[in-house]
Amino acid sequence: MKAGSDAEERLVRGQGDFLADLDLDALEACFVRSPYPHARVQSISLPGGRGLTGAQLARLAGPLRVDGPGLKAVPWWPLAVEKVRFVGEAVAVVWAEDRYLAEDLADETEVDYEPIPAGPLHEEAPDGVLYESRREGGDFEAAFGRAARVLERTFKTARQTPIPLEARGVVARWDGAAGRLTVWTSTQVPNLVRTVLASSLQLAEGDVRVIVPVVGGGFGLKAHVFPEELAVAALARHLGRTVRWVEDRRENLLASAHAHEETVRLRLALDDQGRFLAVDAEVSCDVGAYSVFPFSASLEPVTTGQTLFGPYALEAFRLHASGLASSKCPAGAYRGVGMNAAAFATERMVDIAARELGLDPLELRRRNAIREFPTVTAAGRELDSGDYLGLLGRLDAPYRELRRQQAEARREGRLFGIGVGFFNEHSGTGASEYQTRGITTIPGVDSARVRVGEDGTIEIATGGADAGQGHAETYRLLAARELGVAAEKVVVFEGDTDACPPGSGTFVSRGAVGGLTALTEALREVAEKDLAPGLEVTRVVDPKQVFPSGAHLAAVEVDPLGLNPRVIRYLAVEDCGVVVNERAAEAQVRGGVAMGMGGVLLEEIRYSEDGQPLASTLLDYLVPLAPDVPEIEIEHQESPSPLTALGSKGVGEAGTIGAFAAVANAVADAVQAELNELPCSPDRIFHLRRS
Amino acid sequence: MEQSLRVKVNGQAVKREVPPRLTLADFLRDRLRLTGTHLGCEHGVCGACTVLLDGDAVRACLLLAVQADGREVTTVEGMGEPGRLTPLQRAFLEHGAFQCGFCTPGFLATGEALLRSGRRLSRAELPDLLAGNLCRCTGYGPIVDAILEAAGSR
């Protein structure tokens, strides 16, 4: 999609061209989805000639599958073949001239299921373990051996789902004469979709074009390749017609991707000065019925494991991480991924330690923060840059002010709490790092091409894919700065595999790491050659992880009757390295914090004991509304990364990660209870206070 | 069996035969190709499909097209003119009141109804009045700022 300088104005005029707005003369596809969590599909009776079963579609398209160390490579077919493994899994697809008629056909489809009461979901994983790994760093036994004190707690985060306001959607068109497939899809990863479509449908990559329309929010959900994308493309080729599927919210809640259902057991060894010596961590994630593509069942166990106690100096670290299958929607990426659970568990543990030791929570953090950069941590992370004491120092004055307010509030009998969330996170994971993890399904490189038009227009094309972050605006600012041209002379192309250089798409804040590095280098080379018309420079970068960090401060008041927690003040101090576009960076932080507040206070998809999902509408799955979010104060501290062209580190996930820790600690402080499970809902607070 | 529908949409009289089960949102989007009205949940919670029906903010996904018979509908396409945005649209641009832009037409309709109601809008109350529209990108602050500014400029 081309983003001209009128792109934003088009959005306020309702001319955004989101996927469902494209006028492509398509048949409407509708999926028939399983009401059973685990069942054998005995037979399917489709309305005359207007549908395909899973077995029939399996002859047209191959499955998604991720292999790698510690992983069980289980196939995920475009439609279930033989058996279903979660409520909402598609077993058949039907089509008609319009959506109403297609839904009628889906209702008329008869499927015989034989429920499977027990037994493994996948023959390949009889024990239900889809991913497992262990790692140890430093002298673990020695560190625990000389501990003055060992604290042990278990933390749980809730199953959630990103809810981009625009759900998923795909349109596929088959050009039989040219043997070419064109797919429009609302995705963060166009090149990956192309690669997978080509291999699943046995086409050459060059014969597949993926176009990304304006995307109505992604938040990680759209960083996957989904079975529906394969099914719709296979159907278009099969029928020789353009086929469209636009997901509805019920499908989105039941069967897109969930996230965040984790149990983190921590043992923390401390010396008699309150110094953290070592951490022993057991991370176990409910990853649902399949290993998502491309991140696999290792996604959350690995990212949580990497991030635990991230900003603290430890002598030793031990981790056992696993991803366990269940009859639930597969778990994938949701803004912050496993880093949210890590920050929540770590920072709750630090507050618990402060309480046990009779120390001020902010002081305990200061005592244990990493002070030297660059450094390699006991958990094996190579921290490129940072100033962690600087971050905590900026909280000092507002923290003391809030403690004064709290003392007053408590005298009045009010439930007023203060929470700190201190964290670092990785961003911009590169190809070689994914390969070290054994993941070969993610390209991991980022790319940019700059072309000087005959009329002096600067054309920028990248391998990223915007989902509302404002890439085009940032690129224009950067081009104007590096080339001295007017921002209006810059045209940006993203999300078209025919028009853009191949890259990894947009997730894990890679845009500000590999993406901006590739673009800056290309711009600088163009500048050196004096913007000669016709000049074209392409840069491909294999980035290395860098580490943004932050310290957040939240104040929460819980009303004593309804026990509803309300965030009344929020300060986010961010260090995303050099801030390239302040407006865009602050928008990311503000939106990210709001999302994290939802993650702590509201969002939860529960399943009944017999495997039925209990949140199938936005009345059951609650996300923050305008009155739930206070003004969010933002401060920037800039520790430039030496590993990126501009010193930037990315800021897409930071707000959410920080809020998972700060808001949870504030609620726990308000109700004076060990609130170690999310969400911090009124009923949970009620039961905790009673016990 | 189809029913006759006469409705004024963005100032233009429209006459169509429609199935009774067709929602107003699908009528606008599919039959009139006014795709600025977005569908975020189709069960009346997210507010993305909010339009003005005789000046009131309503959810186009919960109304049938035939319920708009004889009435007047304004969608985002009917706000502003070519080359000229409404004060509210301008304020949304200036304040960064959207990121992905999917919820924006619904917020503009809700905001427009509030502005036209003539009620005094305060920073303390406005968030409650916006609780029928979801935004997943902005954290709402810039949307509140934009509507307040547009209210002040009237």
Side-chain angles (χ1 to χ4, degrees):
Chain A
M1 289 288 290
K2 174 179 162 180
S5 50
D6 65 340
E8 293 208 336
E9 183 174 327
R10 290 180 60 84
L11 290 173
V12 295
R13 287 190 180 276
Q15 298 168 339
D17 287 337
F18 295 88
L19 184 112
D21 306 339
L22 304 174
D23 193 7
L24 294 166
D25 186 28
L27 285 171
E28 293 284 341
C30 183
F31 291 99
V32 178
R33 296 183 181 275
S34 170
Y36 289 96
H38 192 195
R40 211 161 292 288
V41 180
Q42 302 285 54
S43 67
I44 299 179
S45 160
L46 289 159
R50 309 224 77 187
L52 288 177
T53 66
Q56 290 167 331
L57 199 83
R59 291 196 284 272
L60 307 175
L64 299 164
R65 191 197 316 254
V66 191
D67 208 350
L71 280 172
K72 296 279 168 36
V74 294
W76 191 6
W77 289 90
L79 300 173
V81 181
E82 290 176 19
K83 70 175 194 171
V84 292
R85 296 178 174 87
F86 67 98
V87 172
E89 183 170 9
V91 295
V93 61
V94 294
W95 58 88
E97 297 305 320
D98 81 23
R99 173 69 176 267
Y100 288 73
L101 300 174
E103 290 192 14
D104 287 346
L105 293 180
D107 286 346
E108 288 161 23
T109 301
E110 286 178 18
V111 185
D112 260 347
Y113 297 94
E114 186 199 339
I116 302 172
L121 280 184
H122 298 277
E123 284 170 13
E124 297 88 339
D127 58 356
V129 180
L130 292 185
Y131 173 75
E132 189 168 22
S133 67
R134 292 171 193 275
R135 77 181 291 166
E136 194 173 318
D139 193 340
F140 184 83
E141 298 301 337
F144 263 85
R146 67 186 181 82
R149 193 169 193 140
V150 174
L151 294 175
E152 180 173 341
R153 292 291 188 283
T154 299
F155 303 92
K156 287 184 181 173
T157 46
R159 178 166 273 261
Q160 304 178 330
T161 186
I163 314 286
L165 207 56
E166 179 202 30
R168 298 176 296 157
V170 192
V171 184
R173 172 174 287 171
W174 175 250
D175 178 348
R180 248 193 141 217
L181 177 72
T182 303
V183 172
W184 292 260
T185 182
S186 188
T187 189
Q188 300 168 234
V189 289
N191 277 93
L192 206 52
V193 173
R194 179 174 75 158
T195 303
V196 175
L197 280 172
S199 79
S200 170
L201 273 64
Q202 300 192 335
L203 293 164
E205 274 203 38
D207 289 334
V208 180
R209 179 182 184 186
V210 173
I211 302 173
V212 186
V214 175
V215 173
F219 313 116
L221 180 70
K222 295 175 183 173
H224 307 99
V225 183
F226 285 107
E228 288 90 345
E229 287 168 315
L230 304 184
V232 170
L235 192 55
R237 181 159 75 159
H238 177 67
L239 298 174
R241 288 281 308 268
T242 304
V243 178
R244 176 174 100 146
W245 168 67
V246 178
E247 183 180 54
D248 68 25
R249 188 55 68 187
R250 184 168 180 276
E251 293 179 289
N252 180 258
L253 278 157
L254 298 187
S256 56
H258 292 172
H260 296 172
E261 188 174 5
E262 304 190 33
T263 302
V264 180
R265 190 178 68 86
L266 294 178
R267 287 199 308 136
L268 170 65
L270 300 114
D271 74 6
D272 55 7
Q273 302 297 306
R275 289 218 170 70
F276 305 158
L277 300 174
V279 168
D280 185 13
E282 183 94 30
V283 176
S284 120
C285 303
D286 182 332
V287 299
Y290 295 96
S291 195
V292 288
F293 197 96
F295 303 109
S296 85
S298 72
L299 176 67
E300 287 187 325
V302 165
T303 51
T304 300
Q306 283 176 340
T307 311
L308 284 166
F309 277 79
Y312 299 110
L314 297 176
E315 291 174 17
F317 181 77
R318 186 165 79 178
L319 170 71
H320 175 210
S322 54
L324 309 176
S326 70
S327 282
K328 299 178 190 171
C329 178
Y334 176 7
R335 199 177 203 165
V337 188
M339 298 191 279
N340 299 335
F344 164 68
T346 300
E347 291 295 272
R348 284 293 306 124
M349 194 66 168
V350 173
D351 267 18
I352 290 165
R355 205 183 165 96
E356 298 260 332
L357 299 169
L359 285 169
D360 176 78
L362 195 55
E363 169 54 26
L364 184 61
R365 285 172 172 83
R366 200 177 281 118
R367 213 171 271 190
N368 286 286
I370 292 172
R371 287 157 191 253
E372 303 286 332
F373 298 90
T375 187
V376 181
T377 70
R381 299 165 102 206
E382 297 175 31
L383 305 183
D384 59 304
S385 57
D387 174 4
Y388 293 176
L389 291 182
L391 290 171
L392 292 170
R394 285 172 188 247
L395 294 192
D396 232 3
Y399 177 82
R400 275 185 276 123
E401 166 60 28
L402 281 173
R403 285 287 181 218
R404 276 194 293 275
Q405 282 181 33
Q406 181 182 43
E408 199 173 310
R410 283 190 173 158
R411 275 196 297 276
E412 294 165 9
R414 287 153 56 201
L415 305 175
F416 184 109
I418 299 163
V420 173
F422 176 42
F423 64 96
N424 61 12
E425 51 154 339
H426 59 266
S427 61
T429 311
S432 38
E433 284 154 338
Y434 280 121
Q435 278 155 20
T436 311
R437 245 164 76 182
I439 305 271
T440 53
T441 42
I442 305 173
V445 296
D446 300 294
S447 59
R449 185 182 65 222
V450 178
R451 181 188 281 149
V452 185
E454 298 301 324
D455 59 353
T457 304
I458 304 296
E459 247 182 59
I460 291 174
T462 87
D466 186 272
Q469 298 93 336
H471 286 182
E473 182 197 318
T474 304
Y475 300 165
R476 267 193 277 276
L477 280 174
L478 194 58
R481 202 171 80 195
E482 295 288 333
L483 306 180
V485 300
E488 303 78 63
K489 293 282 258 182
V490 182
V491 181
V492 174
F493 292 89
E494 274 194 343
D496 181 342
T497 56
D498 272 12
C500 302
S504 301
T506 295
F507 55 91
V508 72
S509 280
R510 55 188 320 112
V513 184
L516 286 186
T517 296
L519 178 58
T520 305
E521 288 179 1
L523 287 168
R524 286 179 182 168
E525 189 173 332
V526 167
E528 270 172 30
K529 294 180 178 160
D530 292 332
L531 313 186
L535 183 63
E536 184 179 307
V537 176
T538 304
R539 275 282 178 281
V540 181
V541 169
D542 175 7
K544 204 168 172 308
Q545 276 184 348
V546 297
F547 291 86
S549 52
H552 291 199
L553 179 62
V556 163
E557 182 148 7
V558 177
D559 83 274
L561 275 179
L563 299 179
N564 262 305
R566 192 176 173 80
V567 183
I568 51 177
R569 185 167 175 201
Y570 202 96
L571 167 65
V573 183
E574 286 310 323
D575 189 341
C576 60
V578 172
V579 177
V580 181
N581 175 351
E582 190 171 348
R583 176 168 150 135
E586 295 196 347
Q588 285 297 309
V589 174
R590 205 177 288 115
V593 167
M595 218 164 230
M597 286 178 184
V600 172
L601 301 178
L602 300 169
E603 297 181 30
E604 182 175 28
I605 293 185
R606 279 189 291 174
Y607 277 74
S608 68
E609 270 175 29
D610 56 357
Q612 290 294 329
L614 300 178
S616 60
T617 74
L618 292 178
L619 288 171
D620 319 304
Y621 190 79
L622 305 179
V623 298
L625 302 173
D628 298 326
V629 186
E631 185 197 344
I632 293 156
E633 304 158 53
I634 300 168
E635 278 186 37
H636 301 289
Q637 172 184 284
E638 295 184 307
S639 307
S641 173
L643 302 179
T644 59
L646 299 171
S648 57
K649 296 190 267 199
V651 70
E653 293 77 22
T656 308
I657 298 168
F660 260 77
V663 175
N665 271 340
V667 180
D669 187 44
V671 299
Q672 296 286 293
E674 272 205 25
L675 203 51
N676 297 341
E677 265 183 63
L678 297 183
C680 302
S681 53
D683 64 327
R684 182 158 287 139
I685 294 171
F686 176 77
H687 290 296
L688 209 58
R689 276 164 62 87
R690 255 201 349 185
S691 64
Chain B
M1 202 177 64
E2 308 224 313
Q3 284 188 22
S4 288
L5 166 66
R6 284 166 192 273
V7 58
K8 203 179 226 186
V9 179
N10 297 333
Q12 301 233 317
V14 173
K15 184 170 179 292
R16 288 284 197 287
E17 300 294 311
V18 297
R21 68 175 179 173
L22 185 71
T23 67
L24 177 60
D26 287 337
F27 173 72
L28 294 168
R29 291 180 50 81
D30 300 340
R31 307 286 169 115
L32 303 185
R33 294 291 310 152
L34 294 170
T35 54
T37 298
H38 296 147
L39 291 168
C41 73
E42 295 172 273
H43 52 250
V45 180
C46 81
C49 67
T50 306
V51 297
L52 300 178
L53 183 69
D54 292 340
D56 293 329
V58 299
R59 298 174 191 285
C61 75
L62 290 186
L63 280 168
L64 298 172
V66 292
Q67 289 177 285
D69 190 53
R71 308 179 73 175
E72 183 166 355
V73 176
T74 305
T75 69
V76 66
E77 289 90 344
M79 297 176 195
E81 285 153 33
R84 224 191 76 220
L85 297 171
T86 63
L88 188 60
Q89 286 170 318
R90 275 204 307 278
F92 265 60
L93 279 173
E94 278 159 24
H95 286 272
F98 58 90
Q99 288 173 36
C100 79
F102 196 81
C103 70
T104 308
F107 270 103
L108 288 170
T110 299
E112 201 59 52
L114 287 171
L115 296 178
R116 290 181 192 181
S117 72
R119 72 186 282 171
R120 268 178 70 94
L121 297 176
S122 71
R123 184 170 292 277
E125 275 180 341
L126 185 54
D128 284 322
L129 300 173
L130 298 178
N133 291 70
L134 297 185
C135 170
R136 294 292 280 157
C137 296
T138 63
Y140 300 102
I143 297 174
V144 171
D145 292 343
I147 295 174
L148 286 175
E149 181 181 304
S153 71
R154 284 169 85 87

